[in-house]
Structure formats: structure tokens, C-alpha cells
Coordinates of all heavy atoms in Angstrom, one line a residue:
M1 N -30.8 19.2 26.1 CA -29.8 19.3 25.1 C -28.5 18.8 25.5 O -27.8 18.2 24.7 CB -29.7 20.8 24.7 CG -28.8 21.1 23.6 SD -29.7 20.8 22.1 CE -28.7 21.6 20.9
K2 N -28.1 19.0 26.8 CA -26.9 18.5 27.3 C -26.8 17.0 27.2 O -25.8 16.4 27.0 CB -26.7 19.0 28.7 CG -25.4 18.6 29.3 CD -25.2 19.2 30.7 CE -23.9 18.8 31.3 NZ -23.7 19.2 32.7
G3 N -27.9 16.3 27.5 CA -27.9 14.8 27.4 C -27.7 14.3 26.0 O -27.1 13.3 25.8
L4 N -28.1 15.1 25.0 CA -27.9 14.6 23.6 C -26.4 14.9 23.1 O -25.9 14.2 22.3 CB -28.8 15.4 22.6 CG -30.3 15.0 22.8 CD1 -31.1 15.9 21.8 CD2 -30.5 13.6 22.5
L5 N -25.8 15.9 23.7 CA -24.5 16.2 23.3 C -23.5 15.2 23.8 O -22.5 14.8 23.0 CB -24.1 17.6 23.9 CG -22.7 18.1 23.5 CD1 -22.7 18.3 22.0 CD2 -22.5 19.5 24.2
T6 N -23.6 14.6 24.9 CA -22.7 13.7 25.5 C -22.6 12.4 24.6 O -21.6 11.9 24.3 CB -23.0 13.3 26.9 OG1 -23.0 14.6 27.7 CG2 -22.0 12.4 27.5
P7 N -23.8 11.7 24.3 CA -23.7 10.5 23.4 C -23.1 10.9 22.0 O -22.4 10.1 21.5 CB -25.1 10.1 23.3 CG -25.8 10.6 24.5 CD -25.1 11.9 24.8
S8 N -23.4 12.0 21.5 CA -22.9 12.4 20.2 C -21.4 12.6 20.3 O -20.6 12.1 19.4 CB -23.5 13.7 19.7 OG -24.9 13.6 19.5
L9 N -20.9 13.2 21.3 CA -19.5 13.4 21.5 C -18.8 12.0 21.7 O -17.7 11.8 21.1 CB -19.2 14.3 22.7 CG -17.8 14.6 23.0 CD1 -17.1 15.3 21.8 CD2 -17.7 15.4 24.3
M10 N -19.4 11.1 22.4 CA -18.8 9.8 22.6 C -18.7 9.0 21.3 O -17.7 8.4 21.0 CB -19.7 9.0 23.6 CG -19.5 9.5 25.0 SD -20.6 8.8 26.3 CE -20.3 7.0 26.1
L11 N -19.8 9.1 20.4 CA -19.7 8.4 19.1 C -18.6 9.0 18.3 O -17.9 8.3 17.5 CB -21.1 8.5 18.4 CG -22.2 7.7 19.0 CD1 -23.5 8.0 18.3 CD2 -21.8 6.2 18.8
F12 N -18.5 10.3 18.3 CA -17.4 11.0 17.5 C -16.0 10.5 18.0 O -15.2 10.2 17.2 CB -17.5 12.5 17.7 CG -16.4 13.2 17.0 CD1 -16.3 13.4 15.6 CD2 -15.3 13.7 17.8 CE1 -15.3 14.0 15.0 CE2 -14.3 14.4 17.2 CZ -14.2 14.6 15.8
L13 N -15.8 10.4 19.3 CA -14.5 10.0 19.8 C -14.3 8.5 19.4 O -13.1 8.2 19.1 CB -14.5 10.2 21.3 CG -14.5 11.6 21.8 CD1 -14.5 11.7 23.3 CD2 -13.2 12.4 21.3
L14 N -15.3 7.7 19.5 CA -15.1 6.3 19.1 C -14.7 6.2 17.6 O -13.9 5.4 17.2 CB -16.3 5.5 19.4 CG -16.6 5.2 20.8 CD1 -18.0 4.5 21.0 CD2 -15.5 4.3 21.4
A15 N -15.4 7.0 16.8 CA -15.1 7.0 15.3 C -13.7 7.5 15.0 O -13.1 7.0 14.0 CB -16.2 7.8 14.6
T16 N -13.2 8.4 15.7 CA -11.9 8.9 15.4 C -10.8 7.9 15.9 O -9.7 8.0 15.4 CB -11.6 10.2 16.1 OG1 -11.8 10.1 17.5 CG2 -12.5 11.3 15.6
N17 N -11.1 7.0 16.7 CA -10.1 6.0 17.2 C -10.0 4.8 16.2 O -9.1 4.0 16.2 CB -10.5 5.4 18.5 CG -10.2 6.4 19.6 OD1 -9.3 7.3 19.5 ND2 -10.9 6.3 20.7
A18 N -11.0 4.7 15.3 CA -10.9 3.6 14.3 C -9.8 3.9 13.3 O -9.6 5.0 12.9 CB -12.3 3.5 13.6
S19 N -9.1 2.8 12.8 CA -8.1 3.0 11.9 C -8.5 2.3 10.6 O -9.2 1.4 10.5 CB -6.8 2.4 12.4 OG -6.9 1.0 12.6
A20 N -8.0 2.9 9.5 CA -8.3 2.3 8.2 C -7.5 1.0 8.0 O -6.3 0.9 8.4 CB -7.9 3.3 7.1
A21 N -8.1 0.1 7.3 CA -7.5 -1.2 7.0 C -6.5 -1.0 5.9 O -6.6 -0.1 5.1 CB -8.5 -2.3 6.7
E22 N -5.5 -1.9 5.8 CA -4.5 -1.9 4.8 C -4.7 -3.1 3.9 O -4.9 -4.2 4.4 CB -3.1 -1.9 5.4 CG -2.0 -1.6 4.5 CD -0.7 -1.6 5.3 OE1 -0.6 -1.4 6.5 OE2 0.4 -1.8 4.6
G23 N -4.7 -3.0 2.6 CA -4.9 -4.1 1.7 C -4.2 -4.0 0.4 O -3.8 -2.9 0.1
E24 N -4.0 -5.1 -0.2 CA -3.3 -5.1 -1.5 C -3.6 -6.4 -2.3 O -4.1 -7.4 -1.8 CB -1.8 -4.9 -1.4 CG -1.0 -6.0 -0.7 CD 0.4 -5.7 -0.7 OE1 1.1 -5.7 -1.8 OE2 1.0 -5.6 0.4
I25 N -3.2 -6.4 -3.6 CA -3.4 -7.5 -4.5 C -2.0 -8.2 -4.7 O -1.0 -7.5 -4.9 CB -4.0 -7.1 -5.8 CG1 -5.4 -6.5 -5.6 CG2 -4.0 -8.3 -6.8 CD1 -6.0 -5.9 -6.8
C26 N -1.9 -9.5 -4.6 CA -0.7 -10.2 -4.8 C -0.8 -11.3 -5.8 O -1.9 -11.9 -6.0 CB -0.3 -10.9 -3.5 SG -0.3 -9.9 -2.0
L27 N 0.2 -11.5 -6.6 CA 0.2 -12.5 -7.7 C 1.2 -13.6 -7.5 O 2.3 -13.3 -7.1 CB 0.4 -11.8 -9.1 CG -0.6 -10.7 -9.5 CD1 0.0 -10.0 -10.7 CD2 -1.9 -11.3 -9.8
A28 N 0.9 -14.8 -7.9 CA 1.8 -15.9 -8.0 C 2.4 -15.9 -9.4 O 1.9 -15.2 -10.3 CB 1.2 -17.2 -7.6
A29 N 3.4 -16.7 -9.6 CA 4.0 -16.8 -10.9 C 3.0 -17.3 -11.9 O 2.3 -18.2 -11.6 CB 5.2 -17.7 -10.9
A30 N 2.9 -16.7 -13.1 CA 2.0 -17.1 -14.1 C 2.4 -18.3 -14.9 O 3.6 -18.5 -15.1 CB 1.8 -15.9 -15.1
T31 N 1.5 -19.2 -15.2 CA 1.8 -20.4 -16.0 C 0.8 -20.4 -17.2 O -0.2 -19.8 -17.2 CB 1.6 -21.7 -15.2 OG1 0.3 -21.7 -14.7 CG2 2.6 -21.7 -14.1
R32 N 1.2 -21.1 -18.3 CA 0.3 -21.2 -19.5 C -0.9 -21.9 -19.1 O -0.9 -22.9 -18.4 CB 1.0 -21.9 -20.6 CG 2.1 -21.1 -21.2 CD 2.8 -21.9 -22.3 NE 1.8 -22.0 -23.4 CZ 2.2 -22.1 -24.7 NH1 3.4 -22.2 -25.0 NH2 1.3 -22.2 -25.6
I33 N -2.1 -21.4 -19.6 CA -3.3 -22.1 -19.3 C -3.4 -23.5 -19.8 O -3.9 -24.4 -19.1 CB -4.5 -21.2 -19.9 CG1 -4.6 -19.9 -19.1 CG2 -5.8 -22.0 -19.9 CD1 -5.7 -19.0 -19.6
D34 N -2.8 -23.8 -21.0 CA -2.9 -25.1 -21.5 C -1.7 -26.0 -21.0 O -1.6 -27.2 -21.4 CB -2.8 -25.1 -23.0 CG -1.5 -24.5 -23.6 OD1 -0.8 -23.9 -22.8 OD2 -1.3 -24.5 -24.8
S35 N -1.0 -25.5 -20.0 CA 0.2 -26.3 -19.5 C -0.3 -27.4 -18.6 O -1.2 -27.2 -17.7 CB 1.1 -25.4 -18.7 OG 2.0 -26.1 -18.0
I36 N 0.3 -28.6 -18.8 CA -0.1 -29.7 -18.0 C 0.5 -29.5 -16.6 O 0.0 -30.0 -15.6 CB 0.5 -31.0 -18.6 CG1 -0.2 -31.3 -19.9 CG2 0.4 -32.2 -17.7 CD1 0.3 -32.4 -20.7
S37 N 1.6 -28.7 -16.5 CA 2.2 -28.5 -15.2 C 1.5 -27.4 -14.4 O 2.0 -27.1 -13.3 CB 3.7 -28.1 -15.5 OG 3.7 -26.8 -16.1
Q38 N 0.5 -26.9 -14.9 CA -0.3 -25.9 -14.1 C -0.7 -26.5 -12.8 O -1.4 -27.6 -12.8 CB -1.4 -25.3 -14.9 CG -2.2 -24.2 -14.1 CD -3.3 -23.7 -15.0 OE1 -3.5 -24.0 -16.1 NE2 -4.1 -22.8 -14.4
K39 N -0.4 -25.9 -11.7 CA -0.7 -26.5 -10.4 C -1.8 -25.7 -9.6 O -1.9 -24.5 -9.9 CB 0.6 -26.6 -9.5 CG 1.7 -27.4 -10.2 CD 2.9 -27.3 -9.3 CE 4.0 -28.1 -10.0 NZ 5.3 -28.0 -9.3
A40 N -2.4 -26.4 -8.8 CA -3.4 -25.8 -7.9 C -2.6 -25.0 -6.8 O -1.4 -25.3 -6.6 CB -4.3 -26.8 -7.2
V41 N -3.2 -24.0 -6.2 CA -2.5 -23.3 -5.2 C -2.4 -24.2 -4.0 O -3.2 -25.0 -3.6 CB -3.3 -22.0 -4.9 CG1 -4.7 -22.3 -4.2 CG2 -2.5 -21.0 -4.0
T42 N -1.2 -24.1 -3.3 CA -0.9 -24.8 -2.1 C -0.3 -23.9 -1.1 O -0.1 -22.7 -1.3 CB 0.1 -26.0 -2.4 OG1 1.4 -25.4 -2.7 CG2 -0.3 -26.8 -3.6
N43 N 0.0 -24.5 0.1 CA 0.7 -23.7 1.1 C 2.1 -23.3 0.7 O 2.7 -22.4 1.4 CB 0.8 -24.5 2.4 CG -0.6 -24.4 3.2 OD1 -1.4 -23.6 3.0 ND2 -0.8 -25.4 4.0
D44 N 2.7 -23.9 -0.3 CA 4.0 -23.6 -0.8 C 4.0 -22.5 -1.9 O 5.1 -22.1 -2.4 CB 4.7 -24.8 -1.3 CG 4.9 -25.8 -0.2 OD1 5.2 -25.4 1.0 OD2 4.8 -27.0 -0.4
T45 N 2.8 -22.1 -2.4 CA 2.7 -21.2 -3.5 C 3.2 -19.8 -3.0 O 2.7 -19.3 -2.0 CB 1.3 -21.0 -4.0 OG1 0.8 -22.3 -4.5 CG2 1.2 -20.1 -5.2
V46 N 4.1 -19.2 -3.7 CA 4.7 -17.9 -3.3 C 4.0 -16.8 -4.0 O 3.8 -16.8 -5.3 CB 6.2 -17.8 -3.6 CG1 6.7 -16.4 -3.2 CG2 6.9 -18.9 -2.8
F47 N 3.5 -15.8 -3.3 CA 2.8 -14.6 -3.9 C 3.7 -13.4 -3.7 O 4.3 -13.2 -2.7 CB 1.4 -14.4 -3.1 CG 0.4 -15.5 -3.4 CD1 0.4 -16.6 -2.6 CD2 -0.4 -15.4 -4.5 CE1 -0.6 -17.6 -2.9 CE2 -1.4 -16.4 -4.7 CZ -1.4 -17.5 -3.9
D48 N 3.7 -12.6 -4.8 CA 4.5 -11.4 -4.8 C 3.6 -10.2 -4.4 O 2.7 -9.9 -5.2 CB 5.1 -11.2 -6.1 CG 6.1 -10.1 -6.2 OD1 6.4 -9.5 -5.1 OD2 6.6 -9.8 -7.3
C49 N 3.8 -9.6 -3.2 CA 3.0 -8.5 -2.7 C 3.9 -7.3 -2.6 O 5.0 -7.4 -2.1 CB 2.4 -8.9 -1.4 SG 1.6 -10.5 -1.3
Q50 N 3.4 -6.2 -3.0 CA 4.2 -4.9 -2.9 C 4.6 -4.6 -1.5 O 5.8 -4.4 -1.2 CB 3.4 -3.8 -3.5 CG 4.3 -2.5 -3.6 CD 3.6 -1.4 -4.4 OE1 2.4 -1.6 -4.8 NE2 4.2 -0.3 -4.6
A51 N 3.7 -4.5 -0.5 CA 4.0 -4.2 0.8 C 4.4 -5.4 1.7 O 5.3 -5.2 2.5 CB 2.8 -3.5 1.5
A52 N 3.8 -6.5 1.5 CA 4.1 -7.7 2.3 C 5.3 -8.5 1.9 O 5.8 -9.2 2.6 CB 2.8 -8.6 2.4
G53 N 5.7 -8.3 0.6 CA 6.9 -9.0 0.1 C 6.5 -10.3 -0.5 O 5.3 -10.6 -0.8
K54 N 7.5 -11.2 -0.8 CA 7.2 -12.5 -1.4 C 7.0 -13.5 -0.3 O 8.0 -13.8 0.4 CB 8.4 -12.9 -2.3 CG 8.5 -12.0 -3.5 CD 9.6 -12.5 -4.5 CE 9.6 -11.6 -5.7 NZ 10.4 -12.1 -6.8
K55 N 5.8 -14.0 -0.2 CA 5.5 -14.8 0.9 C 4.4 -15.9 0.5 O 3.6 -15.7 -0.4 CB 4.9 -14.0 2.1 CG 5.9 -13.2 2.8 CD 5.3 -12.5 4.0 CE 6.3 -11.8 4.9 NZ 7.3 -11.0 4.3
T56 N 4.4 -17.0 1.2 CA 3.3 -18.0 1.1 C 2.1 -17.5 1.9 O 2.3 -16.6 2.8 CB 3.8 -19.4 1.5 OG1 4.1 -19.3 2.9 CG2 5.0 -19.8 0.7
I57 N 1.0 -18.2 1.8 CA -0.2 -17.8 2.6 C 0.1 -18.0 4.1 O -0.2 -17.1 4.9 CB -1.4 -18.6 2.1 CG1 -1.9 -18.0 0.7 CG2 -2.6 -18.5 3.1 CD1 -3.0 -18.8 0.1
P58 N 0.7 -19.1 4.5 CA 1.0 -19.3 5.9 C 1.9 -18.1 6.4 O 1.8 -17.6 7.6 CB 1.7 -20.6 6.1 CG 1.1 -21.4 4.9 CD 1.0 -20.4 3.8
Q59 N 2.9 -17.7 5.6 CA 3.8 -16.7 6.0 C 3.1 -15.3 6.1 O 3.4 -14.5 7.0 CB 5.0 -16.5 5.0 CG 5.9 -17.7 5.1 CD 6.9 -17.7 4.0 OE1 6.7 -17.2 2.9 NE2 8.1 -18.3 4.2
L60 N 2.1 -15.1 5.2 CA 1.3 -13.9 5.3 C 0.6 -13.8 6.6 O 0.5 -12.7 7.2 CB 0.4 -13.8 4.1 CG 1.1 -13.4 2.7 CD1 0.1 -13.7 1.6 CD2 1.5 -12.0 2.7
Y61 N -0.1 -14.9 7.0 CA -0.8 -14.9 8.2 C 0.1 -14.7 9.4 O -0.3 -13.9 10.4 CB -1.6 -16.2 8.4 CG -3.0 -16.1 7.7 CD1 -3.1 -16.4 6.4 CD2 -4.1 -15.8 8.5 CE1 -4.4 -16.3 5.8 CE2 -5.3 -15.7 7.9 CZ -5.5 -15.9 6.5 OH -6.7 -15.8 5.9
K62 N 1.3 -15.3 9.4 CA 2.2 -15.0 10.5 C 2.7 -13.6 10.6 O 3.0 -13.1 11.7 CB 3.4 -15.9 10.4 CG 3.1 -17.4 10.7 CD 4.4 -18.3 10.5 CE 4.0 -19.7 10.8 NZ 5.1 -20.6 10.5
A63 N 2.7 -12.9 9.4 CA 3.1 -11.5 9.4 C 1.9 -10.5 9.7 O 2.1 -9.3 9.6 CB 3.7 -11.2 8.0
G64 N 0.8 -11.1 10.0 CA -0.4 -10.2 10.3 C -1.3 -9.8 9.2 O -2.0 -8.9 9.3
W65 N -1.2 -10.6 8.1 CA -2.1 -10.3 6.9 C -3.2 -11.4 6.9 O -2.9 -12.6 7.3 CB -1.3 -10.3 5.6 CG -0.4 -9.2 5.5 CD1 0.9 -9.2 5.9 CD2 -0.6 -7.9 4.9 NE1 1.5 -8.0 5.7 CE2 0.6 -7.2 5.0 CE3 -1.7 -7.3 4.3 CZ2 0.7 -5.9 4.5 CZ3 -1.6 -6.1 3.8 CH2 -0.4 -5.3 3.9
R66 N -4.3 -11.1 6.2 CA -5.4 -12.1 6.1 C -5.8 -12.2 4.6 O -5.9 -11.1 4.0 CB -6.6 -11.7 6.9 CG -7.8 -12.6 6.7 CD -9.0 -12.3 7.6 NE -9.2 -10.9 7.7 CZ -10.0 -10.3 8.6 NH1 -10.5 -11.1 9.5 NH2 -10.2 -9.0 8.6
V67 N -6.0 -13.4 4.0 CA -6.4 -13.5 2.7 C -7.9 -13.3 2.6 O -8.7 -14.0 3.3 CB -6.1 -14.9 2.1 CG1 -6.6 -15.1 0.7 CG2 -4.6 -15.1 2.1
V68 N -8.4 -12.4 1.8 CA -9.8 -12.1 1.7 C -10.4 -12.8 0.4 O -11.5 -13.3 0.5 CB -10.0 -10.5 1.5 CG1 -11.5 -10.2 1.3 CG2 -9.4 -9.8 2.7
V69 N -9.6 -12.9 -0.7 CA -10.1 -13.5 -1.9 C -8.9 -14.3 -2.5 O -7.8 -13.8 -2.5 CB -10.6 -12.4 -2.9 CG1 -11.0 -13.1 -4.2 CG2 -11.7 -11.6 -2.3
L70 N -9.2 -15.4 -3.1 CA -8.2 -16.2 -3.8 C -8.9 -16.5 -5.2 O -10.0 -17.1 -5.2 CB -7.9 -17.5 -3.1 CG -7.1 -18.6 -3.9 CD1 -5.7 -18.1 -4.3 CD2 -7.1 -19.9 -3.2
M71 N -8.3 -16.2 -6.3 CA -8.9 -16.5 -7.6 C -7.8 -16.6 -8.7 O -6.7 -16.1 -8.5 CB -9.8 -15.3 -8.0 CG -9.1 -14.0 -8.1 SD -10.3 -12.6 -8.3 CE -9.2 -11.3 -7.9
P72 N -8.1 -17.3 -9.8 CA -7.2 -17.3 -10.9 C -7.5 -16.1 -11.8 O -8.6 -15.5 -11.8 CB -7.6 -18.6 -11.7 CG -9.1 -18.8 -11.3 CD -9.2 -18.2 -9.9
Q73 N -6.4 -15.6 -12.4 CA -6.5 -14.4 -13.2 C -5.8 -14.6 -14.5 O -4.6 -15.1 -14.5 CB -5.9 -13.2 -12.5 CG -6.0 -11.9 -13.3 CD -5.5 -10.7 -12.4 OE1 -5.6 -10.7 -11.2 NE2 -4.8 -9.8 -13.0
A74 N -6.4 -14.3 -15.7 CA -5.8 -14.5 -17.0 C -4.8 -13.3 -17.2 O -5.1 -12.1 -16.9 CB -6.8 -14.5 -18.1
V75 N -3.6 -13.6 -17.7 CA -2.6 -12.6 -17.9 C -2.1 -12.8 -19.4 O -1.7 -13.9 -19.8 CB -1.4 -12.8 -17.0 CG1 -0.3 -11.7 -17.2 CG2 -1.9 -12.7 -15.5
M76 N -2.1 -11.7 -20.2 CA -1.6 -11.8 -21.6 C -0.1 -11.7 -21.5 O 0.5 -10.9 -20.9 CB -2.2 -10.6 -22.4 CG -3.7 -10.7 -22.6 SD -4.3 -12.1 -23.5 CE -3.5 -11.9 -25.1
D77 N 0.5 -12.6 -22.3 CA 2.0 -12.6 -22.4 C 2.4 -11.5 -23.4 O 1.9 -11.4 -24.4 CB 2.4 -14.0 -22.9 CG 3.9 -14.2 -22.8 OD1 4.7 -13.3 -23.0 OD2 4.3 -15.3 -22.3
A78 N 3.4 -10.8 -23.0 CA 3.9 -9.7 -23.8 C 4.6 -10.1 -25.1 O 4.7 -9.4 -26.1 CB 4.9 -8.8 -23.0
S79 N 5.0 -11.4 -25.1 CA 5.7 -11.9 -26.3 C 4.8 -12.3 -27.4 O 5.3 -12.7 -28.5 CB 6.7 -13.0 -25.9 OG 5.9 -14.1 -25.4
G80 N 3.5 -12.4 -27.2 CA 2.6 -12.9 -28.2 C 1.2 -13.2 -27.7 O 0.9 -12.8 -26.6
P81 N 0.4 -13.9 -28.5 CA -1.0 -14.1 -28.1 C -1.1 -15.3 -27.1 O -2.0 -16.1 -27.3 CB -1.7 -14.4 -29.4 CG -0.6 -15.0 -30.2 CD 0.7 -14.3 -29.8
I82 N -0.2 -15.4 -26.2 CA -0.2 -16.5 -25.2 C -0.9 -16.0 -24.0 O -0.5 -15.0 -23.4 CB 1.2 -17.0 -24.9 CG1 1.8 -17.6 -26.2 CG2 1.1 -18.1 -23.8 CD1 3.3 -17.9 -26.0
V83 N -1.9 -16.8 -23.5 CA -2.6 -16.4 -22.3 C -2.0 -17.3 -21.2 O -1.9 -18.5 -21.3 CB -4.1 -16.6 -22.4 CG1 -4.8 -16.2 -21.1 CG2 -4.6 -15.7 -23.6
R84 N -1.7 -16.6 -20.1 CA -1.2 -17.3 -18.9 C -2.2 -17.1 -17.8 O -3.0 -16.2 -17.8 CB 0.2 -16.9 -18.5 CG 1.2 -17.1 -19.6 CD 2.6 -16.7 -19.1 NE 3.6 -16.8 -20.2 CZ 4.3 -17.9 -20.4 NH1 4.0 -19.0 -19.7 NH2 5.2 -18.0 -21.4
T85 N -2.1 -17.9 -16.8 CA -3.0 -17.7 -15.6 C -2.1 -17.6 -14.4 O -1.0 -18.2 -14.3 CB -4.0 -18.9 -15.4 OG1 -4.9 -18.6 -14.4 CG2 -3.3 -20.2 -15.1
S86 N -2.6 -16.8 -13.5 CA -1.8 -16.5 -12.3 C -2.8 -16.6 -11.1 O -3.9 -16.0 -11.2 CB -1.2 -15.1 -12.4 OG -0.5 -14.8 -11.1
W87 N -2.4 -17.3 -10.0 CA -3.2 -17.2 -8.8 C -3.1 -15.8 -8.2 O -2.0 -15.3 -8.1 CB -2.7 -18.3 -7.8 CG -3.1 -19.6 -8.2 CD1 -2.3 -20.6 -8.7 CD2 -4.5 -20.2 -8.2 NE1 -3.1 -21.7 -9.0 CE2 -4.4 -21.5 -8.7 CE3 -5.7 -19.6 -7.9 CZ2 -5.5 -22.3 -8.8 CZ3 -6.8 -20.5 -8.0 CH2 -6.7 -21.8 -8.5
T88 N -4.2 -15.2 -7.9 CA -4.2 -13.9 -7.4 C -4.9 -13.9 -6.0 O -5.9 -14.6 -5.9 CB -5.0 -13.0 -8.3 OG1 -4.4 -13.1 -9.6 CG2 -5.0 -11.5 -7.9
I89 N -4.4 -13.2 -5.1 CA -5.0 -13.0 -3.8 C -5.2 -11.6 -3.4 O -4.4 -10.7 -3.9 CB -4.3 -13.8 -2.6 CG1 -2.9 -13.3 -2.5 CG2 -4.4 -15.3 -2.8 CD1 -2.1 -13.9 -1.2
V90 N -6.2 -11.2 -2.7 CA -6.4 -9.9 -2.1 C -6.2 -10.1 -0.6 O -6.8 -11.0 0.0 CB -7.8 -9.3 -2.4 CG1 -8.0 -8.0 -1.7 CG2 -8.0 -9.2 -3.9
I91 N -5.3 -9.4 0.0 CA -5.0 -9.5 1.4 C -5.3 -8.2 2.1 O -5.3 -7.1 1.5 CB -3.5 -9.9 1.6 CG1 -2.5 -8.9 1.1 CG2 -3.2 -11.3 1.1 CD1 -1.1 -9.2 1.4
E92 N -5.5 -8.3 3.4 CA -5.6 -7.1 4.3 C -4.9 -7.3 5.6 O -4.7 -8.4 6.0 CB -7.1 -6.8 4.5 CG -7.8 -7.8 5.4 CD -9.3 -7.5 5.6 OE1 -9.7 -6.4 5.2 OE2 -9.9 -8.3 6.3
K93 N -4.4 -6.2 6.1 CA -3.7 -6.3 7.4 C -4.7 -6.5 8.5 O -5.7 -5.8 8.6 CB -2.9 -4.9 7.5 CG -1.9 -5.0 8.6 CD -0.7 -5.8 8.3 CE 0.4 -5.6 9.3 NZ 1.6 -6.4 9.0
I94 N -4.3 -7.4 9.4 CA -5.2 -7.7 10.5 C -4.9 -6.7 11.6 O -3.9 -6.4 11.9 CB -5.0 -9.1 11.0 CG1 -5.3 -10.1 9.9 CG2 -5.9 -9.4 12.2 CD1 -5.0 -11.6 10.2

């Protein structure tokens, strides 16, 4: 019984040392879907993140964040039936 207790205790101690990851969703400025000026995401695209602030993808990595997902997201315009698209990223703290 003593031999089983030691490995169990070691696993418990290892599990308590693990920390929860931090993550959030960030959006770039929305543009009209039918707009000719709609651009692809680049290293200069600025994303607005609640915890990380307004940063580009290279700046996020320098600040210790990692991009998990990059996708376009449709956003309804409050002024009418205009649909805009916004580049959206999900990031996590490394």
C-alpha cells in the first residue's frame, strides 16, 4: 500500500503545479464584404485584444502570446443591413 501512495502523491503534486492557460478573441477593424479595398491579413494588421491590447501578430508573439486560430467573421453593421467582415484571431498566453 505504501508503494501505491507515493506515485499517487507525486502525480497529485505534478498536477497542482500546472497552470491554466490564458486566452482571448481579438478583432481587426471591420470592412464591407463587397469592398474592393478589403485586404488580406498581413503582419501590419492591428488586432484589438482586451488583455493584450492593440497589437499586430508579430507584436503579440513578442509579448508572449500565440495565435491559435485566424478566421474571417461576419459583423452586422448597427446602422443598417450592411454586413462587414473582420479578421478574428484566438490567442493564448505562452
